[in-house]
Amino acid sequence: MTSESVRAALADGVLTLTLARPDKKNALTDGMYGALADAVIQADADPAIRCVLFEAEGDGFCAGNDIADFARIAMTGGAGDANVFRFLKALAHSTTPLVAAVQGAAVGVGTTLLLHCDLVFVADDARLATPFADLGLVPEAASSLLLPGRIGHVRAFSMFALGERIDGPTAAAWGLANACVPRPELAARARTAALEIASRPPIALAQTKALMRQAEAIAGVMDREAVLFVERLQSDEAREAFMAFAARKR
Ligand code: COA
């Protein structure tokens, strides 16, 4: 599957996936999830791909799931788009090293996908947020397991429940990122790291990554979250939050 809002380019063993919907702050549509899922799966199958680098156009990394898509599901009672779950499962099982370069806003899955990356670089203007409760939703992408594991329960709860936003230096201090760098240096820093990974022994790296992550357990948490998430999407709480976002725009 391809999407004009996700660009893929392979060079020097690094598959760069660029979120390219800057006018919507790179909010992810079903088509974008599909393209990302295909690329992450392909990376594990293609020995020419030694590392995947996520980056984004514009002033923000990713504003999370497209809220218009959420609203459509909430109104129609549909079961949700399959591609998001395909992408999340691909992340859970991926053994190719994943690197991310994050500037500006990273909301919802824009932050939770970082929990599946192996090296993360944030710019000094980064703002990470997972305001699921404010949207009437529950955490996804196994973040209910991975985020408290990474930063501790009380910090994670504050992000999930109160929508606390984390700036770049804090993300690095809390272990959500390897480093916080000045915005103009972000792309080069992440690319250098991705190229370094691409130069290392790929099988040893893949096995190291697999040993460090309990893929089956992570996928199991995703399944449990998804049941509640789809249920919450159709709740009055979520409908009100989506309408409030739409009204804010008007
Ligand atoms: N889904 C769909 N469209 C989105 C979006 C989303 N998640 N996030 C932003 N957009 C759109 C806005 O509707 C706006 O479109 P318009 O120009 O056609 O009106 C455009 O992107 C720019 O957004 P804007 O809010 O004006 O930019 P900002 O710089 O003031 O704020 C954010 C950026 C990301 C902080 C803010 O847009 C936001 O909070 N978005 C929602 C994030 C969210 O809750 N995601 C779901 C997580 S589960």
Side-chain angles (χ1 to χ4, degrees):
M1 176 180 288
T2 56
S3 164
E4 62 185 18
S5 300
V6 176
R7 283 202 313 274
L10 177 61
D12 303 320
V14 177
L15 179 66
T16 301
L17 298 176
T18 305
L19 307 181
R21 199 186 176 212
D23 54 321
K24 297 291 182 188
K25 306 291 175 183
N26 298 313
L28 297 181
T29 61
D30 184 59
M32 293 169 75
Y33 282 121
L36 292 168
D38 289 346
V40 171
I41 291 165
Q42 185 200 349
D44 280 352
D46 183 350
I49 301 174
R50 311 277 286 263
C51 181
V52 173
L53 171 61
F54 292 105
E55 58 179 28
E57 277 185 7
D59 62 7
F61 178 66
C62 173
N65 201 105
D66 188 290
I67 289 183
D69 280 2
F70 271 169
R72 188 171 37 75
I73 296 164
M75 297 308 168
T76 61
D81 290 320
N83 278 323
V84 60
F85 298 116
R86 221 162 57 76
F87 175 53
L88 297 182
K89 285 292 175 69
L91 289 176
H93 292 290
S94 163
T95 56
T96 306
L98 308 176
V99 178
V102 180
Q103 77 278 16
V107 188
V109 72
T111 284
T112 59
L113 91 81
L114 304 178
L115 300 168
H116 299 273
C117 292
D118 303 292
L119 294 175
V120 177
F121 298 92
V122 293
D124 47 11
D125 66 355
R127 303 183 310 279
L128 277 51
T130 53
F132 294 114
D134 284 341
L135 290 164
L137 300 173
V138 295
E140 36 70 314
S143 60
S144 61
L145 171 74
L146 298 174
L147 190 61
R150 188 76 64 84
I151 67 175
H153 178 91
V154 293
R155 288 168 173 166
F157 192 80
S158 181
M159 290 184 73
F160 288 142
L162 304 179
E164 182 183 353
R165 288 195 310 181
I166 304 304
D167 63 16
T170 306
W174 287 6
L176 288 167
N178 293 81
C180 174
V181 300
R183 174 74 182 88
E185 295 170 21
L186 177 69
R189 180 69 183 271
R191 180 155 302 277
T192 300
L195 288 168
E196 281 185 23
I197 284 182
S199 73
R200 300 297 206 278
I203 297 174
L205 275 183
Q207 291 182 348
T208 298
K209 174 168 174 164
L211 286 167
M212 290 171 69
R213 289 168 55 83
Q214 315 300 320
E216 288 305 327
I218 289 169
V221 173
M222 287 177 175
D223 286 339
R224 290 197 293 282
E225 290 172 344
V227 171
L228 295 178
F229 196 94
V230 170
E231 191 182 292
R232 286 296 91 208
L233 265 181
Q234 291 158 31
S235 68
D236 289 343
E237 290 175 346
R239 282 196 189 98
E240 280 166 24
F242 303 151
M243 277 158 48
F245 183 74
R248 183 183 78 107
K249 302 321 297 177
R250 280 197 294 275

